[in-house]
């Protein structure tokens, strides 16, 4: 009867919870081990200047290279790293690796390259991100002015006063600061204008359906105008089609990232792209069928 059904439903739910908790703990242990064993890798996705078509920077994106499972996406392990505290050592590893790589690219003839590093909520509010960053910049010799930290809008909205204090310390180091996934996090414009920022990254959710969604076209062009009115640069994420590129160029968006130009690449493959752009070739023109 109904009673039995609800009892067994409850049991199922309960067992499900236990399984999920167990799986989480197992994943946390594997993650710590993977860090120790040097199984983390950074991929780099090109950031393109829309006015010139040139590659100006790279966003570092972490992957876990498991000997059995292969590449594991950050969506699967960043949440566990955040809730378990592993984000402290993992975040430090990412910063150190990204800055060392950036310094190698500078030495290889890309003196101005910007390297962008993601910082998640707990990493931003609960670890000494400013101290860790200062230390890594000293160790690697990478200039603060070429390191950009990406912080999600929701991290800034959760505790705006604390966030402002951290942003000010980072700004004192001379770093560039970006808001990631802009438009998804309910931050108030009153707070936003007090934060010392350089860049808004329009979330890919607003780019994906351009040019079919007129709402998304309005939102994206409003964010570009808002960013510019606040003295910020604007980057569009997740650009996959030439129509999207043209729309963004028309609206005066400053930078783009997306599969249209390149997926995130291992450092060696990214270096090959750099070599092509050394020859003076804008990255966007490397694509077939360019108009204008
Ligand atoms: P995010 O910072 O917003 O990064 C953009 C994500 O969009 C990346 O996924 C990238 O591979 C993907 N992407 C780029 N271009 C396109 C496109 O044209 N189409 C589509 N469909 N996707 C595109 P990824 O690498 O799986 O990273 C997911 C999220 O994980 C990141 O979102 C970021 O929040 C987090 N994450 C990645 N690396 C790190 C890290 O080192 N530290 C921290 N704390 N978080 C990280
Ligand atoms: Mg990002
Ligand atoms: Mg993003
Ligand atoms: Mg995201």
């Amino acid at each position: 009867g109904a009673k039995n059904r609800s009892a067994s439903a409850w049991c199922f739910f309960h067992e499900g919870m236990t399984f999920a908790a167990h799986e989480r703990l197992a994943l946390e242990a594997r993650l710590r081990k993977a860090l120790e064993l040097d199984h983390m890798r950074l991929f780099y996705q090109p950031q393109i200047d829309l006015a010139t078509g040139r590659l100006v920077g790279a966003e570092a994106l972490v992957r876990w290279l498991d000997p059995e499972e292969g590449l594991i996406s950050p969506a699967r392990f960043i949440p566990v790293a955040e809730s378990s505290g592993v984000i402290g050592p993992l975040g430090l590893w990412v910063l150190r690796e990204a800055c060392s790589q950036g310094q190698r690219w500078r030495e290889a003839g890309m003196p101005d390259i910007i390297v962008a590093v993601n910082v998640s909520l707990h990493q931003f509010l609960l670890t000494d991100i400013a101290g860790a960053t200062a230390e890594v910049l000293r160790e690697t010799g990478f200039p603060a002015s070429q390191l950009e930290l990406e912080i999600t809008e929701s991290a800034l909205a959760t505790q705006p006063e604390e966030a402002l204090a951290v942003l000010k310390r980072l700004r004192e180091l001379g770093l560039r600061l970006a808001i990631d996934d802009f438009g998804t996090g309910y931050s108030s414009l009153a707070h936003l204008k007090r934060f010392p920022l350089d860049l808004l990254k329009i979330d890919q959710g607003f780019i994906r359906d351009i040019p079919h969604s007129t709402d998304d076209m309005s939102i994206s062009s409003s964010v570009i105008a808002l960013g510019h009115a606040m003295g910020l640069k604007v980057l569009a994420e997740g650009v996959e089609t030439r129509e999207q590129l043209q729309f963004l160029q028309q609206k005066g968006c400053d930078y783009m990232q997306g599969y249209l130009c390149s997926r995130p690449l291992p450092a060696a493959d990214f270096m090959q792209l750099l070599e092509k752009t050394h020859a003076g070739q804008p990255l966007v023109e490397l694509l077939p069928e360019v108009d204008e």
Side-chain angles (χ1 to χ4, degrees):
K3 244 186 192 160
N4 274 345
R5 243 198 333 265
S6 68
S8 63
W10 184 85
C11 275
F12 178 76
F13 178 64
H14 181 74
E15 280 164 18
M17 288 279 285
T18 307
F19 179 72
H22 181 267
E23 200 179 37
R24 227 176 150 72
L25 272 178
L27 190 61
E28 181 193 329
R30 277 178 62 207
L31 188 55
R32 286 185 195 278
K33 193 85 193 155
L35 247 181
E36 245 175 69
L37 293 174
D38 199 25
H39 286 172
M40 293 296 156
R41 295 291 178 272
L42 287 187
F43 277 42
Y44 298 90
Q45 188 174 37
Q47 298 183 325
I48 314 298
D49 183 330
L50 281 172
T52 62
R54 286 178 200 284
L55 190 157
V56 290
E59 178 177 3
L61 294 156
V62 71
R63 276 97 183 85
W64 168 359
L65 183 57
D66 183 81
E68 274 156 32
E69 279 189 55
L71 283 179
I72 303 177
S73 139
R76 257 189 71 199
F77 62 87
I78 291 289
V80 175
E82 279 272 288
S83 63
S84 64
V86 180
I87 196 66
L90 174 60
L92 189 60
W93 179 86
V94 168
L95 262 176
R96 191 177 282 131
E97 180 70 18
C99 290
S100 316
Q101 185 59 65
Q103 186 61 8
R104 285 194 288 275
W105 285 329
R106 293 182 75 233
E107 287 159 4
M110 183 78 183
D112 303 324
I113 191 159
I114 303 299
V115 175
V117 171
N118 291 283
V119 176
S120 42
L121 174 71
H122 289 163
Q123 189 184 1
F124 181 68
L125 290 175
L126 304 178
T127 74
D128 176 17
I129 184 71
T133 306
E135 173 72 32
V136 165
L137 291 171
R138 252 195 314 275
E139 265 173 38
T140 58
F142 192 62
S145 59
Q146 286 173 242
L147 177 62
E148 188 162 86
L149 295 187
E150 297 188 1
I151 297 132
T152 58
E153 200 187 354
S154 42
L156 299 181
T158 308
Q159 295 183 49
E161 294 311 317
E162 288 80 354
L164 179 60
V166 179
L167 289 176
K168 283 182 171 163
R169 285 196 60 203
L170 293 170
R171 172 45 61 92
E172 279 161 16
L173 295 175
L175 303 179
R176 302 154 69 100
L177 298 171
I179 297 205
D180 205 352
D181 305 341
F182 186 76
T184 61
Y186 311 102
S187 66
S188 88
L189 294 178
H191 286 131
L192 209 56
K193 75 167 190 193
R194 295 167 58 215
F195 292 147
L197 299 168
D198 300 283
L199 180 76
L200 293 184
K201 298 189 75 174
I202 307 177
D203 190 72
Q204 61 186 61
F206 299 116
I207 306 297
R208 189 178 303 128
D209 297 329
I210 294 174
H212 309 293
S213 161
T214 50
D215 285 349
D216 287 346
M217 291 199 281
S218 304
I219 292 170
S220 298
S221 52
S222 303
V223 172
I224 294 166
L226 173 72
H228 289 167
M230 291 174 42
L232 308 177
K233 300 285 189 188
V234 181
L235 180 149
E237 295 193 284
V239 178
E240 295 187 353
T241 71
R242 195 161 281 286
E243 285 104 313
Q244 291 164 353
L245 174 74
Q246 276 163 356
F247 173 81
L248 293 162
Q249 275 174 325
Q250 247 171 44
K251 297 295 171 186
C253 188
D254 303 284
Y255 308 107
M256 67 146 279
Q257 256 178 270
Y259 295 169
L260 178 66
C261 275
S262 171
R263 293 192 173 245
L265 302 170
D269 298 355
F270 191 88
M271 190 67 211
Q272 291 188 340
L273 264 190
L274 277 186
E275 280 159 7
K276 283 183 198 162
T277 58
H278 279 174
Q281 208 172 4
L283 196 56
V284 172
E285 279 180 21
L286 298 176
L287 301 163
E289 282 175 17
V290 189
D291 325 321
E292 291 163 339

